Amino acid sequence: GAVVSQHPSWVICKSGTSVKIECRSLDFQATTMFWYRQFPKQSLMLMATSNEGSKATYEQGVEKDKFLINHASLTLSTLTVTSAHPEDSSFYICSARAGTGNIQYFGAGTRLSVL
Amino acid sequence: AQSVTQPDIHITVSEGASLELRCNYSYGATPYLFWYVQSPGQGLQLLLKYFSGDTLVQGIKGFEAEFKRSQSSFNLRKPSVHWSDAAEYFCAVGRNSGNTPLVFGKGTRLSVIA
C-alpha cells in the first residue's frame, strides 16, 4: 500500500515551453501533497505544500507564478513549470501524506532538462 | 528552528561490515523521526519511523534506529551491509499533526566495497 506515482520520470523541453508533472496517490487519499526540488548531490528543498481544494502554500523564494500547483482531487496534484529555462533543470519529487502521523510517501521523481 | 544534521556526507564500508549513520535533530516539539533511502535517480523510500514508545525501531531491509532524546539523536544501524545498500540516506523530522512538511538532513551517501 501507500504507493505514489509520479509522471513523467524524465522530460526534455525547449526553453520557453511549459511542462506539467503529475503526482498521484494510487491506493490512498492524500489531502496534502508536497513538492520538492533536488539538485545533484543535495538534499530535498521544499517548494510548496499542496492541499486539496485550496491554494498551495509556497516556500520563501519559490515563484508561484512560475511553479503552478493544482491539487484538484484527493489523489492528484500537478506541478507545472511555466516558461521553463535551463536554470529550472532539476530533479522534482512529490510526496503524499497518508493518514495521520505525518508519514509521507514519495514518488520516483521527475528529471527535467531544459535546453 | 527545526533542523536535522547528518554529520557524515559520505561513508564507505565493506560488504558484511556493520553500519551506523548519524542523525541529530533540533525540534521544539515532540518529534516524529524518519529515515529514508534514495537510490540514484529515484524517489525516497521510507526505511523506518519513530513516533513514540520503544526507542529502538525496526525497519525494512534489516535496518534499525535508536531514538535518544538526551542526545537529540536518531542514528540508523545495520549489522551487516549488503552491496545493494549503497544509496543516499536521509534523516527527517516532523510533527505528528497538521499538514507540516518534514525537515530533511543533507543526506549521507553510502558506498559499499567488496
Side-chain angles (χ1 to χ4, degrees):
Chain A
V3 177
V4 176
S5 172
Q6 189 172 340
H7 179 80
S9 57
W10 193 13
V11 57
I12 302 173
C13 68
K14 293 182 179 180
S15 185
T17 60
S18 295
V19 173
K20 179 184 284 188
I21 302 170
E22 292 187 349
C23 182
R24 294 181 184 272
S25 57
L26 297 186
D27 50 3
F28 65 100
Q29 293 184 331
T31 56
T32 303
M33 292 185 176
F34 302 93
W35 287 95
Y36 297 85
R37 183 173 180 176
Q38 186 179 32
F39 293 100
K41 301 186 186 302
Q42 303 267 328
S43 187
L44 283 73
M45 182 190 78
L46 179 67
M47 298 176 66
T49 301
S50 169
N51 294 300
E52 187 266 336
S54 64
K55 291 184 178 180
T57 302
Y58 290 81
E59 294 301 298
Q60 191 172 8
V62 178
E63 299 176 60
K64 60 182 65 177
D65 294 330
K66 180 166 193 60
F67 299 100
L68 299 179
I69 291 172
N70 183 279
H71 193 159
S73 78
L74 286 172
T75 59
L76 174 64
S77 176
T78 61
L79 168 67
T80 301
V81 183
T82 62
S83 187
H85 288 94
E87 58 265 31
D88 299 324
S89 298
S90 191
F91 193 59
Y92 294 88
I93 307 176
C94 73
S95 70
R97 180 173 173 266
T100 60
N102 206 8
I103 299 174
Q104 292 183 31
Y105 295 92
F106 286 79
T110 297
R111 182 160 304 285
L112 171 63
S113 297
V114 184
L115 305 179
Chain B
Q2 304 144 8
S3 66
V4 176
T5 302
Q6 293 180 247
D8 305 304
I9 296 174
H10 183 202
I11 286 181
T12 300
V13 299
S14 299
E15 190 170 15
S18 62
L19 169 71
E20 182 170 34
L21 302 182
R22 296 182 291 166
C23 172
N24 292 95
Y25 67 90
S26 174
Y27 205 71
T30 300
Y32 274 20
L33 294 157
F34 306 82
W35 275 98
Y36 286 88
V37 60
Q38 183 181 34
S39 297
Q42 299 291 314
L44 276 68
Q45 181 182 21
L46 179 66
L47 282 177
L48 48 78
K49 60 188 183 295
Y50 171 77
F51 289 169
S52 65
D54 192 346
T55 56
L56 183 64
V57 293
Q58 304 296 321
I60 61 171
K61 304 185 179 184
F63 286 93
E64 66 177 26
E66 186 171 12
F67 170 59
K68 293 185 177 180
R69 185 185 297 276
S70 61
Q71 299 178 19
S72 297
S73 69
F74 189 57
N75 295 348
L76 181 72
R77 300 195 294 251
K78 186 170 184 176
S80 178
V81 169
H82 189 262
W83 64 266
S84 60
D85 293 325
E88 189 86 19
Y89 291 80
F90 292 97
C91 180
V93 65
R95 291 178 59 185
N96 66 336
S97 62
N99 296 326
T100 54
L102 299 179
V103 176
F104 285 86
K106 292 185 180 299
T108 297
R109 183 160 61 94
L110 173 65
S111 296
V112 181
I113 58 176

